[in-house]
Amino acid sequence: MATHYPPEWRAALEHEVERQTFHIGLVSGLVPAGAVADIGGGTGLFSVGCAAAGMSVTLIDDFADPGNETRTDELLDVHRGGGVKIEVRDVVRDGLGLAPGSMDVITTFDSMEHWHSSPKRLFAEVTTALRPGGWFLLGVPNCVNLRKRVTVPLGRGKWSSMADWYERPHFRGHVREPDVDDLRYIARDMKLTSVRIIGRNWLGRGHAHPLVRALTPVVDRVLRSRPTLCSDIYLLGRRPLDH
């Protein structure tokens, strides 16, 4: 799918192939041909990859991130061509706009940490939009991963660059990164069942230094059993069957 994008985007997207293949595999393992809504996926590979795998996909995003300032319509043509339904909306402010019980899976990856308002009301709507027994999959960066535990005492660990916050009229960087306890809090609030917390380590795979890129897969395999130390953490939970 990355080869279908404009040439200047392909190299960056190719770094995403392994991560997005993992995301798509999680969803297809739950509902191989179900209805999926992805929140905040932007112009990336996940939603179009799910559609290519045979799922019915709705992509919901306001497309207001800096990376979407140019050529967004052209990039989304790849999604439309793959059968993805596009909904442009600010979900925290305006809600999902999905019919109750209409989705088998709702996903959101690397989006919640950018939201300036509480997602509590939105996540209640997520539960309503899921069919009984449907799945919610939330992926976020871990605010206390192993690297940060080492670098913060050394004076390095800012979530966002100064320029992203100070020079732009609207800040779209990380507002609050969660940890594993926060994900379990969300699961309890949503009354999810069959809850799992999954840990992976993706950030080093695209690092400029070749040694970091080489070591990241090794470190990832070691840390997967300790999601509290991983750079990327996932909440997977199910809407109760009797709701």
Side-chain angles (χ1 to χ4, degrees):
M1 299 308 302
T3 62
H4 295 174
Y5 283 72
E8 63 270 29
W9 285 76
R10 290 177 193 168
L13 288 167
E14 285 169 359
H15 283 300
E16 284 287 294
V17 167
E18 186 174 5
R19 184 168 76 103
Q20 298 304 345
T21 299
F22 171 72
H23 293 166
I24 294 164
L26 283 176
V27 175
S28 64
L30 300 172
V31 285
V36 179
D38 182 46
I39 302 169
T43 54
L45 290 168
F46 173 73
S47 57
V48 70
C50 284
M55 302 171 216
S56 173
V57 185
T58 301
L59 170 61
I60 310 171
D61 200 312
D62 64 359
F63 300 102
D65 284 339
N68 297 132
E69 290 176 339
T70 59
R71 304 186 69 180
T72 299
D73 283 339
E74 180 182 355
L75 295 170
L76 289 178
D77 282 343
V78 177
H79 295 69
R80 296 185 184 100
V84 177
K85 180 182 178 182
I86 309 294
E87 294 286 349
V88 182
R89 59 194 297 126
D90 182 329
V91 292
V92 178
R93 184 189 65 199
D94 303 324
L96 288 177
L98 297 172
S102 60
M103 292 291 151
D104 294 298
V105 182
I106 296 177
T107 62
T108 180
F109 301 109
D110 298 303
S111 185
M112 184 184 76
E113 67 274 12
H114 298 266
W115 301 345
H116 285 250
S117 300
S118 166
K120 183 179 178 73
R121 184 177 65 176
L122 171 65
F123 287 164
E125 189 177 351
V126 164
T127 305
T128 300
L130 287 170
R131 293 175 181 141
W135 294 89
F136 178 51
L137 177 55
L138 169 65
V140 288
N142 180 7
C143 68
V144 289
N145 68 46
L146 180 61
R147 180 190 63 79
K148 291 170 184 172
R149 296 185 195 200
V150 173
T151 58
V152 169
L154 299 175
R156 298 177 57 196
K158 294 180 181 179
W159 286 347
S160 305
S161 73
M162 182 65 173
D164 285 346
W165 171 71
Y166 194 79
E167 299 295 342
R168 300 187 63 84
H170 302 289
F171 176 59
R172 300 282 294 192
H174 291 195
V175 178
R176 187 185 188 281
E177 295 180 350
D179 63 9
V180 167
D181 286 342
D182 293 340
L183 297 190
R184 294 192 183 282
Y185 185 106
I186 290 169
R188 289 193 300 270
D189 185 59
M190 296 178 70
K191 297 179 174 57
L192 300 177
T193 64
S194 305
V195 172
R196 292 171 56 199
I197 303 294
I198 303 167
R200 289 294 185 273
N201 299 274
W202 304 112
L203 295 180
R205 295 171 188 263
H207 199 276
H209 198 292
L211 180 60
V212 175
R213 293 199 303 272
L215 289 176
T216 295
V218 178
V219 174
D220 176 52
R221 286 192 292 272
V222 173
L223 293 183
R224 285 181 186 182
S225 62
R226 296 288 301 277
T228 55
L229 299 177
C230 291
S231 67
D232 303 87
I233 50 177
Y234 299 87
L235 163 64
L236 178 62
R238 199 172 194 184
R239 176 182 173 178
L241 288 167
D242 58 350
H243 280 211

Short mmCIF file of all heavy atoms in Angstrom, two decimals, residues 37-42 58-65 85-98 103 106-127 129 136 138 172:
data_model
loop_
_atom_site.label_atom_id
_atom_site.label_comp_id
_atom_site.label_asym_id
_atom_site.label_seq_id
_atom_site.Cartn_x
_atom_site.Cartn_y
_atom_site.Cartn_z
N ALA A 37 -13.88 1.34 12.80
CA ALA A 37 -13.75 2.80 12.78
C ALA A 37 -12.42 3.16 13.41
O ALA A 37 -12.13 2.72 14.53
CB ALA A 37 -14.90 3.46 13.54
N ASP A 38 -11.61 3.94 12.70
CA ASP A 38 -10.32 4.37 13.21
C ASP A 38 -10.35 5.86 13.50
O ASP A 38 -10.68 6.66 12.62
CB ASP A 38 -9.21 4.05 12.20
CG ASP A 38 -7.84 4.44 12.72
OD1 ASP A 38 -7.54 4.12 13.88
OD2 ASP A 38 -7.08 5.08 11.96
N ILE A 39 -10.00 6.24 14.72
CA ILE A 39 -10.04 7.63 15.16
C ILE A 39 -8.64 8.22 15.09
O ILE A 39 -7.70 7.69 15.69
CB ILE A 39 -10.56 7.74 16.60
CG1 ILE A 39 -11.95 7.11 16.74
CG2 ILE A 39 -10.57 9.19 17.07
CD1 ILE A 39 -12.40 6.95 18.18
N GLY A 40 -8.49 9.31 14.35
CA GLY A 40 -7.22 10.04 14.34
C GLY A 40 -6.13 9.39 13.52
O GLY A 40 -4.95 9.67 13.75
N GLY A 41 -6.49 8.56 12.57
CA GLY A 41 -5.48 7.85 11.78
C GLY A 41 -4.82 8.68 10.70
O GLY A 41 -3.82 8.24 10.11
N GLY A 42 -5.36 9.86 10.41
CA GLY A 42 -4.76 10.72 9.40
C GLY A 42 -4.62 10.04 8.05
O GLY A 42 -5.45 9.23 7.65
N THR A 58 -14.13 2.98 8.40
CA THR A 58 -14.43 4.40 8.47
C THR A 58 -13.27 5.09 9.18
O THR A 58 -12.90 4.71 10.28
CB THR A 58 -15.73 4.68 9.25
OG1 THR A 58 -16.82 3.99 8.60
CG2 THR A 58 -16.04 6.17 9.30
N LEU A 59 -12.69 6.10 8.54
CA LEU A 59 -11.60 6.89 9.10
C LEU A 59 -12.15 8.23 9.56
O LEU A 59 -12.74 8.97 8.77
CB LEU A 59 -10.50 7.10 8.05
CG LEU A 59 -9.39 8.10 8.38
CD1 LEU A 59 -8.63 7.67 9.63
CD2 LEU A 59 -8.45 8.24 7.19
N ILE A 60 -11.96 8.55 10.86
CA ILE A 60 -12.50 9.78 11.44
C ILE A 60 -11.34 10.63 11.95
O ILE A 60 -10.58 10.20 12.81
CB ILE A 60 -13.47 9.48 12.60
CG1 ILE A 60 -14.51 8.44 12.18
CG2 ILE A 60 -14.15 10.76 13.07
CD1 ILE A 60 -15.37 7.94 13.33
N ASP A 61 -11.18 11.85 11.42
CA ASP A 61 -10.06 12.70 11.78
C ASP A 61 -10.42 14.13 11.39
O ASP A 61 -11.21 14.34 10.46
CB ASP A 61 -8.80 12.25 11.03
CG ASP A 61 -7.51 12.74 11.69
OD1 ASP A 61 -7.44 13.94 12.02
OD2 ASP A 61 -6.57 11.94 11.85
N ASP A 62 -9.83 15.12 12.11
CA ASP A 62 -10.02 16.50 11.67
C ASP A 62 -8.96 16.93 10.66
O ASP A 62 -9.06 18.01 10.08
CB ASP A 62 -10.05 17.46 12.86
CG ASP A 62 -8.74 17.52 13.63
OD1 ASP A 62 -7.79 16.80 13.26
OD2 ASP A 62 -8.67 18.29 14.61
N PHE A 63 -7.94 16.11 10.46
CA PHE A 63 -6.88 16.36 9.49
C PHE A 63 -6.28 17.76 9.65
O PHE A 63 -6.02 18.46 8.67
CB PHE A 63 -7.40 16.16 8.06
CG PHE A 63 -7.91 14.78 7.81
CD1 PHE A 63 -9.28 14.53 7.81
CD2 PHE A 63 -7.05 13.71 7.62
CE1 PHE A 63 -9.76 13.24 7.60
CE2 PHE A 63 -7.52 12.42 7.43
CZ PHE A 63 -8.89 12.19 7.41
N ALA A 64 -6.05 18.16 10.91
CA ALA A 64 -5.51 19.49 11.20
C ALA A 64 -4.07 19.46 11.71
O ALA A 64 -3.53 20.49 12.08
CB ALA A 64 -6.40 20.20 12.23
N ASP A 65 -3.45 18.28 11.72
CA ASP A 65 -2.05 18.20 12.13
C ASP A 65 -1.16 18.87 11.09
O ASP A 65 -1.53 18.97 9.91
CB ASP A 65 -1.63 16.75 12.31
CG ASP A 65 -2.16 16.14 13.59
OD1 ASP A 65 -2.51 16.91 14.51
OD2 ASP A 65 -2.24 14.90 13.67
N LYS A 85 -14.17 4.93 4.05
CA LYS A 85 -15.09 6.06 4.21
C LYS A 85 -14.42 7.11 5.08
O LYS A 85 -13.91 6.81 6.15
CB LYS A 85 -16.39 5.59 4.85
CG LYS A 85 -17.41 6.71 5.06
CD LYS A 85 -18.66 6.18 5.74
CE LYS A 85 -19.67 7.30 6.00
NZ LYS A 85 -20.88 6.80 6.69
N ILE A 86 -14.40 8.36 4.63
CA ILE A 86 -13.71 9.44 5.33
C ILE A 86 -14.73 10.35 6.02
O ILE A 86 -15.67 10.83 5.38
CB ILE A 86 -12.86 10.30 4.37
CG1 ILE A 86 -11.94 9.41 3.51
CG2 ILE A 86 -12.07 11.35 5.14
CD1 ILE A 86 -10.87 8.70 4.26
N GLU A 87 -14.54 10.56 7.33
CA GLU A 87 -15.37 11.50 8.08
C GLU A 87 -14.46 12.56 8.69
O GLU A 87 -13.56 12.24 9.47
CB GLU A 87 -16.14 10.79 9.19
CG GLU A 87 -17.18 9.80 8.72
CD GLU A 87 -18.42 10.48 8.17
OE1 GLU A 87 -18.55 11.71 8.34
OE2 GLU A 87 -19.26 9.78 7.57
N VAL A 88 -14.66 13.83 8.31
CA VAL A 88 -13.83 14.92 8.83
C VAL A 88 -14.55 15.56 10.01
O VAL A 88 -15.58 16.21 9.85
CB VAL A 88 -13.57 15.98 7.73
CG1 VAL A 88 -12.67 17.09 8.28
CG2 VAL A 88 -12.93 15.33 6.51
N ARG A 89 -14.01 15.36 11.22
CA ARG A 89 -14.62 15.92 12.41
C ARG A 89 -13.66 15.87 13.59
O ARG A 89 -12.78 15.00 13.65
CB ARG A 89 -15.93 15.21 12.77
CG ARG A 89 -15.80 13.75 13.04
CD ARG A 89 -17.14 13.03 13.05
NE ARG A 89 -18.03 13.49 14.12
CZ ARG A 89 -19.27 13.92 13.92
NH1 ARG A 89 -19.77 13.95 12.69
NH2 ARG A 89 -20.02 14.30 14.93
N ASP A 90 -13.82 16.81 14.51
CA ASP A 90 -13.08 16.82 15.77
C ASP A 90 -13.87 15.95 16.74
O ASP A 90 -14.90 16.36 17.28
CB ASP A 90 -12.98 18.26 16.29
CG ASP A 90 -12.18 18.37 17.58
OD1 ASP A 90 -12.20 17.42 18.38
OD2 ASP A 90 -11.57 19.43 17.81
N VAL A 91 -13.37 14.74 16.99
CA VAL A 91 -14.16 13.77 17.75
C VAL A 91 -14.32 14.16 19.21
O VAL A 91 -15.35 13.86 19.83
CB VAL A 91 -13.56 12.35 17.65
CG1 VAL A 91 -13.69 11.81 16.25
CG2 VAL A 91 -12.12 12.33 18.12
N VAL A 92 -13.31 14.80 19.80
CA VAL A 92 -13.41 15.19 21.21
C VAL A 92 -14.47 16.26 21.39
O VAL A 92 -15.25 16.25 22.34
CB VAL A 92 -12.04 15.67 21.73
CG1 VAL A 92 -12.15 16.11 23.19
CG2 VAL A 92 -11.01 14.55 21.62
N ARG A 93 -14.54 17.19 20.45
CA ARG A 93 -15.51 18.28 20.54
C ARG A 93 -16.89 17.86 20.02
O ARG A 93 -17.91 18.18 20.63
CB ARG A 93 -15.00 19.48 19.73
CG ARG A 93 -15.88 20.73 19.82
CD ARG A 93 -15.41 21.77 18.82
NE ARG A 93 -15.60 21.30 17.45
CZ ARG A 93 -14.96 21.82 16.39
NH1 ARG A 93 -14.07 22.79 16.55
NH2 ARG A 93 -15.20 21.36 15.17
N ASP A 94 -16.91 17.14 18.89
CA ASP A 94 -18.17 16.88 18.19
C ASP A 94 -18.66 15.45 18.28
O ASP A 94 -19.75 15.14 17.78
CB ASP A 94 -18.02 17.26 16.70
CG ASP A 94 -17.60 18.71 16.52
OD1 ASP A 94 -18.06 19.56 17.31
OD2 ASP A 94 -16.81 19.00 15.61
N GLY A 95 -17.87 14.56 18.89
CA GLY A 95 -18.29 13.17 18.99
C GLY A 95 -17.97 12.38 17.73
O GLY A 95 -17.46 12.90 16.74
N LEU A 96 -18.29 11.08 17.79
CA LEU A 96 -17.95 10.17 16.70
C LEU A 96 -18.90 10.27 15.51
O LEU A 96 -18.51 10.05 14.37
CB LEU A 96 -17.95 8.73 17.20
CG LEU A 96 -16.80 8.30 18.11
CD1 LEU A 96 -17.02 6.86 18.57
CD2 LEU A 96 -15.47 8.42 17.39
N GLY A 97 -20.18 10.49 15.79
CA GLY A 97 -21.16 10.50 14.72
C GLY A 97 -21.47 9.11 14.19
O GLY A 97 -21.93 8.98 13.05
N LEU A 98 -21.24 8.08 14.99
CA LEU A 98 -21.51 6.71 14.57
C LEU A 98 -22.81 6.22 15.20
O LEU A 98 -23.13 6.56 16.33
CB LEU A 98 -20.37 5.78 15.00
CG LEU A 98 -19.00 6.05 14.40
CD1 LEU A 98 -17.95 5.17 15.08
CD2 LEU A 98 -19.00 5.81 12.89
N MET A 103 -20.37 -0.83 15.05
CA MET A 103 -18.96 -1.17 14.79
C MET A 103 -18.55 -2.44 15.53
O MET A 103 -18.92 -2.66 16.69
CB MET A 103 -18.06 -0.02 15.22
CG MET A 103 -18.20 1.22 14.35
SD MET A 103 -17.56 0.92 12.68
CE MET A 103 -18.60 2.05 11.73
N ILE A 106 -13.35 -0.44 17.23
CA ILE A 106 -12.97 0.96 17.13
C ILE A 106 -11.54 1.08 17.61
O ILE A 106 -11.18 0.54 18.66
CB ILE A 106 -13.91 1.87 17.95
CG1 ILE A 106 -15.33 1.81 17.37
CG2 ILE A 106 -13.41 3.32 17.97
CD1 ILE A 106 -16.35 2.62 18.14
N THR A 107 -10.72 1.76 16.82
CA THR A 107 -9.30 1.88 17.12
C THR A 107 -8.89 3.36 17.18
O THR A 107 -9.51 4.21 16.55
CB THR A 107 -8.44 1.19 16.04
OG1 THR A 107 -8.68 1.84 14.77
CG2 THR A 107 -8.77 -0.28 15.93
N THR A 108 -7.84 3.61 17.93
CA THR A 108 -7.17 4.91 17.86
C THR A 108 -5.73 4.71 18.29
O THR A 108 -5.45 4.16 19.35
CB THR A 108 -7.89 5.98 18.71
OG1 THR A 108 -7.17 7.22 18.60
CG2 THR A 108 -8.01 5.60 20.16
N PHE A 109 -4.80 5.13 17.42
CA PHE A 109 -3.38 4.95 17.65
C PHE A 109 -2.66 6.30 17.66
O PHE A 109 -2.82 7.10 16.72
CB PHE A 109 -2.76 4.07 16.56
CG PHE A 109 -3.38 2.70 16.45
CD1 PHE A 109 -4.18 2.37 15.37
CD2 PHE A 109 -3.15 1.74 17.42
CE1 PHE A 109 -4.74 1.11 15.25
CE2 PHE A 109 -3.71 0.47 17.32
CZ PHE A 109 -4.51 0.15 16.24
N ASP A 110 -1.89 6.54 18.71
CA ASP A 110 -1.04 7.74 18.79
C ASP A 110 -1.84 9.01 18.52
O ASP A 110 -1.37 9.91 17.81
CB ASP A 110 0.13 7.62 17.81
CG ASP A 110 1.02 6.44 18.15
OD1 ASP A 110 1.52 6.40 19.29
OD2 ASP A 110 1.19 5.55 17.30
N SER A 111 -3.02 9.08 19.09
CA SER A 111 -3.88 10.24 18.92
C SER A 111 -4.31 10.83 20.27
O SER A 111 -4.27 12.04 20.46
CB SER A 111 -5.12 9.86 18.10
OG SER A 111 -5.93 10.98 17.82
N MET A 112 -4.68 9.98 21.22
CA MET A 112 -5.23 10.46 22.49
C MET A 112 -4.30 11.43 23.20
O MET A 112 -4.75 12.40 23.83
CB MET A 112 -5.55 9.28 23.41
CG MET A 112 -6.23 9.69 24.72
SD MET A 112 -6.51 8.30 25.85
CE MET A 112 -4.84 8.05 26.49
N GLU A 113 -2.98 11.20 23.11
CA GLU A 113 -2.03 12.05 23.82
C GLU A 113 -1.98 13.47 23.27
O GLU A 113 -1.41 14.37 23.88
CB GLU A 113 -0.63 11.42 23.78
CG GLU A 113 0.02 11.36 22.42
CD GLU A 113 -0.37 10.11 21.63
OE1 GLU A 113 -1.32 9.40 22.04
OE2 GLU A 113 0.29 9.85 20.60
N HIS A 114 -2.61 13.69 22.11
CA HIS A 114 -2.66 15.02 21.50
C HIS A 114 -3.93 15.79 21.86
O HIS A 114 -4.04 16.97 21.53
CB HIS A 114 -2.59 14.91 19.98
CG HIS A 114 -1.33 14.30 19.46
ND1 HIS A 114 -0.24 15.05 19.08
CD2 HIS A 114 -0.98 13.00 19.27
CE1 HIS A 114 0.73 14.25 18.67
NE2 HIS A 114 0.30 12.99 18.77
N TRP A 115 -4.89 15.15 22.52
CA TRP A 115 -6.18 15.78 22.76
C TRP A 115 -6.10 16.73 23.95
O TRP A 115 -5.55 16.38 25.00
CB TRP A 115 -7.25 14.72 23.01
CG TRP A 115 -7.43 13.78 21.86
CD1 TRP A 115 -6.97 13.94 20.58
CD2 TRP A 115 -8.08 12.51 21.88
NE1 TRP A 115 -7.30 12.86 19.80
CE2 TRP A 115 -7.99 11.96 20.57
CE3 TRP A 115 -8.74 11.78 22.87
CZ2 TRP A 115 -8.53 10.73 20.24
CZ3 TRP A 115 -9.27 10.55 22.55
CH2 TRP A 115 -9.18 10.03 21.24
N HIS A 116 -6.68 17.90 23.80
CA HIS A 116 -6.61 18.93 24.84
C HIS A 116 -7.75 18.83 25.84
O HIS A 116 -7.73 19.51 26.86
CB HIS A 116 -6.60 20.33 24.19
CG HIS A 116 -5.29 20.67 23.56
ND1 HIS A 116 -4.44 21.63 24.07
CD2 HIS A 116 -4.65 20.17 22.48
CE1 HIS A 116 -3.36 21.72 23.33
NE2 HIS A 116 -3.46 20.84 22.35
N SER A 117 -8.75 18.02 25.55
CA SER A 117 -9.88 17.85 26.47
C SER A 117 -9.99 16.39 26.88
O SER A 117 -9.47 15.49 26.19
CB SER A 117 -11.19 18.30 25.81
OG SER A 117 -11.13 19.67 25.45
N SER A 118 -10.67 16.13 27.97
CA SER A 118 -10.82 14.77 28.46
C SER A 118 -11.54 13.89 27.43
O SER A 118 -12.54 14.30 26.84
CB SER A 118 -11.63 14.78 29.76
OG SER A 118 -12.06 13.47 30.08
N PRO A 119 -11.07 12.66 27.23
CA PRO A 119 -11.75 11.75 26.32
C PRO A 119 -12.88 10.96 26.97
O PRO A 119 -13.47 10.08 26.33
CB PRO A 119 -10.63 10.81 25.88
CG PRO A 119 -9.74 10.73 27.07
CD PRO A 119 -9.79 12.11 27.71
N LYS A 120 -13.22 11.25 28.23
CA LYS A 120 -14.20 10.45 28.95
C LYS A 120 -15.54 10.36 28.20
O LYS A 120 -16.09 9.27 27.99
CB LYS A 120 -14.43 11.04 30.35
CG LYS A 120 -15.41 10.24 31.21
CD LYS A 120 -15.57 10.88 32.57
CE LYS A 120 -16.58 10.12 33.43
NZ LYS A 120 -16.05 8.83 33.92
N ARG A 121 -16.06 11.49 27.76
CA ARG A 121 -17.34 11.49 27.05
C ARG A 121 -17.21 10.77 25.72
O ARG A 121 -18.11 10.00 25.32
CB ARG A 121 -17.83 12.93 26.84
CG ARG A 121 -19.22 13.01 26.19
CD ARG A 121 -19.67 14.44 26.07
NE ARG A 121 -18.83 15.20 25.16
CZ ARG A 121 -19.05 16.46 24.82
NH1 ARG A 121 -20.06 17.13 25.34
NH2 ARG A 121 -18.25 17.08 23.98
N LEU A 122 -16.10 10.99 25.01
CA LEU A 122 -15.89 10.32 23.74
C LEU A 122 -15.82 8.80 23.92
O LEU A 122 -16.44 8.05 23.16
CB LEU A 122 -14.60 10.82 23.10
CG LEU A 122 -14.13 10.06 21.85
CD1 LEU A 122 -15.12 10.22 20.71
CD2 LEU A 122 -12.73 10.50 21.43
N PHE A 123 -15.11 8.34 24.95
CA PHE A 123 -14.98 6.90 25.15
C PHE A 123 -16.31 6.26 25.57
O PHE A 123 -16.55 5.08 25.28
CB PHE A 123 -13.88 6.61 26.16
CG PHE A 123 -12.49 6.84 25.63
CD1 PHE A 123 -11.41 6.94 26.50
CD2 PHE A 123 -12.25 6.95 24.27
CE1 PHE A 123 -10.12 7.14 26.01
CE2 PHE A 123 -10.97 7.15 23.77
CZ PHE A 123 -9.91 7.25 24.64
N ALA A 124 -17.16 7.03 26.23
CA ALA A 124 -18.51 6.52 26.50
C ALA A 124 -19.26 6.32 25.18
O ALA A 124 -20.00 5.34 25.01
CB ALA A 124 -19.27 7.49 27.40
N GLU A 125 -19.05 7.24 24.24
CA GLU A 125 -19.68 7.11 22.92
C GLU A 125 -19.09 5.94 22.15
O GLU A 125 -19.79 5.27 21.38
CB GLU A 125 -19.53 8.41 22.14
CG GLU A 125 -20.34 8.44 20.86
CD GLU A 125 -20.26 9.76 20.11
OE1 GLU A 125 -19.70 10.73 20.67
OE2 GLU A 125 -20.74 9.82 18.96
N VAL A 126 -17.78 5.70 22.33
CA VAL A 126 -17.15 4.54 21.70
C VAL A 126 -17.86 3.26 22.14
O VAL A 126 -18.20 2.39 21.33
CB VAL A 126 -15.65 4.47 22.08
CG1 VAL A 126 -15.07 3.08 21.77
CG2 VAL A 126 -14.86 5.54 21.33
N THR A 127 -18.12 3.13 23.45
CA THR A 127 -18.80 1.94 23.97
C THR A 127 -20.17 1.78 23.34
O THR A 127 -20.58 0.68 22.96
CB THR A 127 -18.93 2.04 25.50
OG1 THR A 127 -17.64 2.24 26.07
CG2 THR A 127 -19.53 0.76 26.07
N ALA A 129 -21.15 2.93 20.41
CA ALA A 129 -21.03 2.65 18.97
C ALA A 129 -20.61 1.21 18.68
O ALA A 129 -20.83 0.71 17.58
CB ALA A 129 -20.06 3.62 18.32
N PHE A 136 -12.45 -2.48 21.57
CA PHE A 136 -11.80 -1.17 21.53
C PHE A 136 -10.30 -1.39 21.65
O PHE A 136 -9.82 -2.10 22.54
CB PHE A 136 -12.30 -0.30 22.69
CG PHE A 136 -11.65 1.06 22.76
CD1 PHE A 136 -11.59 1.87 21.65
CD2 PHE A 136 -11.12 1.53 23.96
CE1 PHE A 136 -11.00 3.13 21.71
CE2 PHE A 136 -10.53 2.78 24.04
CZ PHE A 136 -10.48 3.59 22.91
N LEU A 138 -6.76 0.82 21.82
CA LEU A 138 -6.17 2.15 22.05
C LEU A 138 -4.66 2.00 22.15
O LEU A 138 -4.15 1.27 23.00
CB LEU A 138 -6.73 2.74 23.34
CG LEU A 138 -6.07 4.00 23.90
CD1 LEU A 138 -6.24 5.18 22.94
CD2 LEU A 138 -6.65 4.33 25.28
N ARG A 172 -0.32 21.11 18.47
CA ARG A 172 -0.87 19.79 18.17
C ARG A 172 0.02 18.66 18.69
O ARG A 172 -0.15 17.51 18.33
CB ARG A 172 -1.04 19.63 16.65
CG ARG A 172 -1.98 20.64 16.01
CD ARG A 172 -3.42 20.32 16.22
NE ARG A 172 -3.82 19.10 15.56
CZ ARG A 172 -5.09 18.70 15.39
NH1 ARG A 172 -6.06 19.45 15.87
NH2 ARG A 172 -5.36 17.59 14.77
#
